[in-house]
């Protein structure tokens, strides 16, 4: 009888704690403003710039890339137009007029993030992310993580291949992500509630 009482007490405590975690985490996610969680106000729309009158001919793009072109897109990238060329080995960016490669290094990622950031604060860090992290788990890697000095630690994530701002994270999202982890009880990847 003692063992049954002991088991009942501890199972009840553990189950009660889990029910409390579900209630608190669910309330936290419900009360947080989803626009703030998504950091929608941190990213400016893509600037509208004039397309080049005479972009590089497609044959010249093919010659410059030197590999089979699977997909080709002419698009604006901050203050210029580029060709985004997808080949079997990945994505390359070429200046749409000159055909010169545009690598997305730390300096370029910083400039692209600053151009799309809606705040006035300066950049704290620029870090290349090659392996999935909690912030980048849903993105195609590699990306550049550009963190700003604002009080919400706004971070813009810039594709290292295409140069696009893929999203933004902030402290509100980080709090929501912790609540999400507690709610679905996935303490590693925070991706699935279908686990033991």
């Amino acid at each position: 009888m003692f063992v049954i009482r002991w088991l009942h007490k501890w199972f009840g405590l553990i189950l009660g704690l889990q029910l409390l975690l579900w209630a608190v985490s669910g309330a936290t996610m419900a009360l947080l403003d989803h626009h703030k969680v998504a950091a929608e106000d941190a990213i400016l729309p893509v600037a509208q710039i004039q397309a080049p009158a005479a972009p590089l001919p497609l044959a010249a793009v093919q010659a410059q890339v030197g590999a089979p072109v699977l997909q080709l897109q002419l698009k604006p990238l901050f203050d210029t137009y580029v060709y985004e060329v997808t080949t079997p080995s990945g994505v390359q960016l070429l200046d749409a007029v000159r055909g010169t490669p545009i690598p997305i290094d730390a300096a370029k990622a910083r400039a692209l993030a600053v151009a799309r950031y809606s705040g006035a604060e300066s950049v704290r860090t620029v870090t290349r992310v090659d392996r999935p992290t909690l912030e980048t788990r849903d993105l195609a890697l590699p990306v550049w993580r550009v963190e700003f000095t604002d009080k919400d630690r706004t971070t813009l994530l810039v594709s290292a291949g295409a140069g696009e701002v893929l999203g933004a994270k902030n402290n509100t999202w980080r709090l929501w992500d912790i609540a999400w982890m507690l709610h679905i009880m996935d303490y590693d990847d925070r991706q699935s509630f279908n686990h033991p």
Side-chain angles (χ1 to χ4, degrees):
M1 192 63 126
F2 173 76
V3 172
I4 293 173
R5 259 197 318 255
W6 183 85
L7 287 172
H8 183 270
K9 178 177 74 172
W10 286 106
F11 281 140
L13 178 64
I14 291 167
L15 185 58
L17 284 174
Q18 186 56 55
L19 288 171
L20 180 64
L21 283 174
W22 280 332
V24 170
S25 62
T28 300
M29 289 188 297
L31 292 172
L32 290 173
D33 179 0
H34 72 93
H35 298 291
K36 185 90 168 128
V37 170
E40 293 172 354
D41 60 338
I43 303 177
L44 296 172
V46 176
Q48 299 299 314
I49 60 172
Q50 184 72 31
L56 197 65
L58 298 183
V61 172
Q62 173 71 53
Q64 178 66 28
V65 172
V69 175
L70 303 175
Q71 184 176 348
L72 185 67
Q73 181 181 4
L74 180 65
K75 67 175 195 175
L77 184 70
F78 180 40
D79 60 351
T80 188
Y81 263 80
V82 297
Y83 279 117
E84 180 181 309
V85 186
T86 305
T87 67
S89 60
V91 174
Q92 297 180 41
L93 295 180
L94 300 177
D95 183 287
V97 175
R98 295 184 297 279
T100 55
I102 301 177
I104 306 298
D105 57 10
K108 188 68 171 180
R110 178 188 186 109
L112 293 169
V114 168
R116 295 286 306 278
Y117 177 57
S118 64
E121 290 80 6
S122 60
V123 172
R124 176 179 287 135
T125 59
V126 179
T127 311
R128 184 179 165 101
V129 180
D130 293 302
R131 301 178 75 169
T133 66
L134 293 175
E135 289 183 346
T136 63
R137 64 184 178 240
D138 296 325
L139 303 176
L141 299 178
V143 299
W144 289 97
R145 184 183 183 280
V146 183
E147 184 178 323
F148 292 86
T149 58
D150 61 344
K151 63 181 174 64
D152 211 21
R153 285 186 50 225
T154 302
T155 302
L156 269 58
L157 301 165
V158 180
S159 167
E164 295 175 357
V165 174
L166 301 174
K169 306 296 182 193
N170 57 28
N171 283 340
T172 307
W173 177 87
R174 293 176 187 102
L175 174 62
W176 183 92
D177 195 48
I178 290 169
W180 171 252
M181 171 192 70
L182 295 173
H183 203 71
I184 66 170
M185 302 187 316
D186 183 354
Y187 305 107
D188 294 325
D189 298 330
R190 304 180 188 183
Q191 294 278 50
S192 172
F193 51 82
N194 291 318
H195 54 79

